[in-house]
Amino acid sequence: MNKVSLSVADAVADIPDGAKVMIGGFGGSGAPIELIHALIDRFRATGSPKNLTVINNNAGNGAIGIAAMIKAGMVAKMICSFPRSSNAEAFNEKYLSGQIALELVPQGTLAERIRAAGAGIPAFYTPSSYGTELAEGKPTEEFDGKMYVREGWLRADFALIKGQLGDTLGNLTYRLAGRNFNPLMAMAADKTIAQVSSLSEPGSIDPEQVVTPGIFVDTIVEVPDPQQEEVLVRTGVVY
Amino acid sequence: MSDFNLMEDKLTNAQIAWRAAQDLEDGSYVNLGIGFPEMIATFQPEGRDVTYHTENGVLGFGKAPKEGEEDWDLINAGKKAIMLKPGASFFHHADSFSMVRGGHLDLAVLGAYQVAQNGDLANWRVGSKGVPAVGGAMDLVHGAKAVAVVTDHVTKDGQPKLVEACTFPLTGVGCVTRVYTSLAVLDIEDGKFNLREKLPAISMEELQAVTGATLHTDGPVGDLIVPEDI
């Protein structure tokens, strides 16, 4: 078993046109910037991958990361809860001119749909969005006197996630609030690609501290001193 | 009629937040919505221990760090940098919203465009134009033991925000239990606004005139008194 990839370019080399790609992070916290930029590099060099569906809480910020993917024209559809970030011009422009589709999902429903996919549960009922326009057309049911909306699982072909410590078996820890969607997405994709700040041999991470067990991770690549999305946005970096 | 001037004599957002903060219970777990509701933490009464939850997976945070000392991997749902308190914890998004929907929070506080007398809340968009964004609002209104709203009593052009039925797109149905406004404190019970407190300077008639639904009382109405220097 060899999950280790020697470069971010190698790690994302198999993502094809039209793929459904989950990208971890909440705003800039836990966002796998180097993996995203490697995907953009490939698109610029080869014209592929394009026509992607991207699943993230947001829809990019500034001119780096997911925003740069959108601006480059690689993304056909976003599935997210909050596209309206402080510097979301890249998404706004494409959305308002009809060049990108949007599936808006309440944040807790987004998280649970991803977890359900990873857990092999095709649908579940939630109170969130009942009676609102986001529940239109969805089945509803009453349980113990309260109404709930049925939501389906959300799977992906690939997940790009960011961990802190990783080992060659794919076991992962996360840094601070950078955990957010990353462990859920790791479970919900056919192929999960993780970048970690530090990659080491099995046994280096205390099993009690492992957050994502290696069974959920297919490819792991070391990116020491990773860039932080919020810092890049605040310093006006353009990718 | 008194000489109450609606736009000059109403409470500021800080004063509304102060009033809401007086009801924070010792030992409670609380989620404060992005923006205005976050201000409530500033006025948390001394001697009460409150643990704050944020949707992106942190329980037990306190003040913001000084400028230049931010760690941007440590943020709240508003994407602002935060600092941890002793006993804080991290968890993934599905666990975070399990805390919300699963009934583990004591209180969630949100802002509002409109609140209806049956507890319906509209706070995520005002029409069908622009880029829609919902975030965690539709989840946060379900599950907490109390769901409170902090809001101006009227819009900038004087229209009532407390209404018989919301006309803006709904965030949740029958979910709000208490409202703190710039003029009054109200509970929503049995499909009606029950007035608990009002500014002493405003008469019942004047308050009713700027409220879009019938005000009810089921006992004495207290004075809404807030320090003037905040």
Side-chain angles (χ1 to χ4, degrees):
Chain A
M1 180 165 51
N2 183 17
K3 296 184 178 184
V4 178
S5 187
L6 294 177
S7 73
V8 285
D10 288 347
V12 301
D14 295 337
I15 299 178
D17 290 354
K20 233 176 174 180
V21 184
M22 288 176 174
I23 300 181
F26 179 89
S29 176
I33 289 294
E34 283 77 6
L35 288 175
I36 299 169
H37 286 176
L39 211 52
I40 295 172
D41 291 346
R42 219 187 98 205
F43 174 76
R44 285 182 178 147
T46 69
S48 192
K50 59 180 183 300
N51 204 21
L52 300 174
T53 294
V54 172
I55 300 157
N56 180 264
N57 184 64
N58 304 97
N61 205 9
I64 47 91
I66 292 173
M69 283 179 79
I70 291 170
K71 193 164 174 62
M74 304 165 65
V75 184
K77 182 180 180 183
M78 282 298 316
I79 302 176
C80 67
S81 87
F82 204 84
R84 204 170 52 214
S85 301
S86 48
N87 303 94
E89 294 82 6
F91 177 81
N92 292 350
E93 199 186 309
K94 296 268 188 203
Y95 178 75
L96 295 172
S97 61
Q99 296 176 71
I100 194 166
L102 170 66
E103 181 180 341
L104 193 69
V105 185
Q107 199 174 126
T109 299
L110 182 64
E112 197 61 26
R113 287 178 64 192
I114 296 168
R115 175 165 70 175
I121 295 177
F124 58 92
Y125 283 88
T126 176
S128 305
S129 89
Y130 176 76
T132 76
E133 63 185 65
L134 294 189
E136 280 169 17
K138 293 176 181 169
T140 59
E141 194 169 330
E142 185 180 322
F143 296 93
D144 292 339
K146 192 173 167 179
M147 293 303 293
Y148 295 81
V149 179
R150 196 178 84 191
E151 294 280 359
W153 59 9
L154 183 59
R155 302 189 60 85
D157 302 309
F158 290 85
L160 307 182
I161 66 168
K162 182 182 190 178
Q164 170 74 347
L165 305 178
D167 67 24
T168 55
L169 298 177
N171 293 305
L172 302 177
T173 71
Y174 299 91
R175 181 168 188 272
L176 302 169
R179 186 174 309 198
N180 54 63
F181 283 93
N182 282 299
L184 306 173
M185 291 178 170
M187 298 166 64
D190 291 344
K191 277 200 81 172
T192 292
I193 303 162
Q195 69 169 70
V196 293
S197 301
S198 170
L199 179 62
S200 50
E201 292 304 310
S204 60
I205 304 172
D206 180 344
E208 288 186 341
Q209 307 304 323
V210 170
V211 178
T212 292
I215 189 171
F216 297 126
V217 176
D218 301 281
T219 301
I220 190 161
V221 57
E222 187 177 42
V223 180
D225 302 317
Q227 299 176 89
Q228 214 289 343
E229 178 178 308
E230 185 70 24
V231 174
L232 297 180
V233 171
R234 281 171 184 263
T235 50
V237 172
V238 176
Y239 193 77
Chain B
M1 295 289 278
S2 73
D3 54 359
F4 185 82
N5 182 318
L6 180 64
M7 287 304 171
E8 284 179 16
D9 299 339
K10 67 178 185 176
L11 300 184
T12 63
N13 280 1
Q15 288 173 316
I16 299 169
W18 180 91
R19 175 60 191 86
Q22 304 315 302
D23 292 342
L24 291 171
E25 287 184 23
D26 188 36
S28 59
Y29 290 91
V30 175
N31 183 296
L32 300 177
I34 296 167
F36 178 13
E38 285 179 82
M39 210 191 296
I40 293 169
T42 319
F43 301 111
Q44 182 183 322
E46 258 183 62
R48 285 184 227 173
D49 197 14
V50 178
T51 304
Y52 293 105
H53 166 268
T54 186
E55 297 96 291
N56 56 310
V58 188
L59 202 53
F61 61 96
K63 291 185 172 128
K66 290 197 188 92
E67 204 178 324
E69 291 177 14
E70 301 95 343
D71 184 326
W72 293 108
D73 283 342
L74 185 54
I75 57 174
N76 64 13
K79 321 255 160 56
K80 293 199 190 92
I82 53 174
M83 290 194 295
L84 300 179
K85 291 167 77 169
S89 55
F90 295 119
F91 34 87
H92 62 60
H93 249 83
D95 278 354
S96 184
F97 281 91
S98 299
M99 293 175 194
V100 174
R101 293 182 308 254
H104 308 284
L105 292 178
D106 296 291
L107 172 67
V109 188
L110 297 97
Y113 296 134
Q114 290 175 324
V115 184
Q117 59 188 358
N118 67 344
D120 287 1
L121 174 67
N123 85 341
W124 73 288
R125 69 186 310 199
V126 291
S128 56
K129 290 200 174 112
V131 179
V134 65
M138 286 191 186
D139 308 282
L140 282 166
V141 296
H142 295 287
K145 295 182 183 81
V147 176
V149 157
V150 287
T151 180
D152 211 313
H153 202 89
V154 297
T155 63
K156 284 193 178 72
D157 55 1
Q159 294 302 307
K161 295 181 81 168
L162 275 52
V163 295
E164 281 185 1
C166 295
T167 54
F168 292 139
L170 291 183
T171 305
V173 173
C175 50
V176 178
T177 57
R178 174 159 264 222
V179 187
Y180 300 92
T181 80
S182 50
L183 304 177
V185 179
L186 311 98
D187 283 329
I188 293 178
E189 291 162 338
D190 304 324
K192 56 192 184 192
F193 286 115
N194 241 330
L195 184 63
R196 297 293 174 214
E197 296 175 14
K198 66 171 184 62
L199 291 179
I202 191 169
S203 69
M204 277 297 291
E205 293 72 28
E206 286 167 325
L207 185 62
Q208 182 61 72
V210 292
T211 306
T214 306
L215 294 172
H216 294 264
T217 56
D218 63 359
V221 175
D223 285 339
L224 172 54
I225 295 172
V226 170
E228 284 182 15
D229 57 346
I230 54 170

